[in-house]
């Protein structure tokens, strides 16, 4: 079954950025040509890795920030639970001392 470009399902991922590989200059020596092709290929791979690293770094920073905010909320709730009885005890102590000194 052959699908034309118009019948490609919408859920298929598509390329959103075109990365052009630099054109090679014609060489007379096949060994030099192979070395040049390898150098171009390595440069291209480096460029792609750098782009991927930038995206991964941004996504990692976003994930870490979200995780930290989530943990801050959990820690704040625990601290409130621990501090609440201490505040009640302190207020009760102050009120008890005031009642004794007023009496």
């Amino acid at each position: 079954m052959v699908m034309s470009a118009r019948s490609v399902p919408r859920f298929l991922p598509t390329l959103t950025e075109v990365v052009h590989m630099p054109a090679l200059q014609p060489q007379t020596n096949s060994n030099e040509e192979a070395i040049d092709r390898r150098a171009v290929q390595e440069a291209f791979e480096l460029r792609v890795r750098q782009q991927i690293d930038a995206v991964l770094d941004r996504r990692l920073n976003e994930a870490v920030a979200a995780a930290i905010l989530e943990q801050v909320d959990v820690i704040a709730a625990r601290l409130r639970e621990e501090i609440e009885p201490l505040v009640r005890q302190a207020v009760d102590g102050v009120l008890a001392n005031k009642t004794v000194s007023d009496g």
Side-chain angles (χ1 to χ4, degrees):
M1 180 169 124
V2 176
M3 297 180 85
S4 70
R6 294 182 182 196
S7 65
V8 174
R10 290 180 179 231
F11 63 85
L12 286 178
T14 57
L15 179 66
T16 58
E17 182 178 341
V18 177
V19 180
H20 296 283
M21 189 166 166
L24 292 174
Q25 297 297 327
Q27 297 290 324
T28 57
N29 188 334
S30 63
N31 190 26
E32 288 178 7
E33 185 177 327
I35 291 170
D36 286 346
R37 284 184 186 269
R38 184 65 191 153
V40 169
Q41 181 179 353
E42 288 175 2
F44 184 70
E45 289 172 1
L46 177 63
R47 193 166 133 198
V48 170
R49 277 195 305 271
Q50 288 172 336
Q51 290 177 351
I52 290 171
D53 285 346
V55 171
L56 289 176
D57 189 45
R58 181 179 47 87
R59 288 187 180 178
L60 179 62
N61 286 336
E62 291 170 357
V64 168
I68 288 173
L69 289 175
E70 184 179 306
Q71 290 303 311
V72 166
D73 291 343
V74 169
I75 291 169
R78 286 182 185 168
L79 287 174
R80 282 189 199 99
E81 288 175 9
E82 292 176 13
I83 291 173
E84 188 176 334
L86 298 174
V87 171
R88 281 191 188 140
Q89 185 180 14
V91 170
D92 289 344
V94 168
L95 292 177
N97 287 336
K98 184 171 174 123
T99 304
V100 171
S101 63
D102 287 344

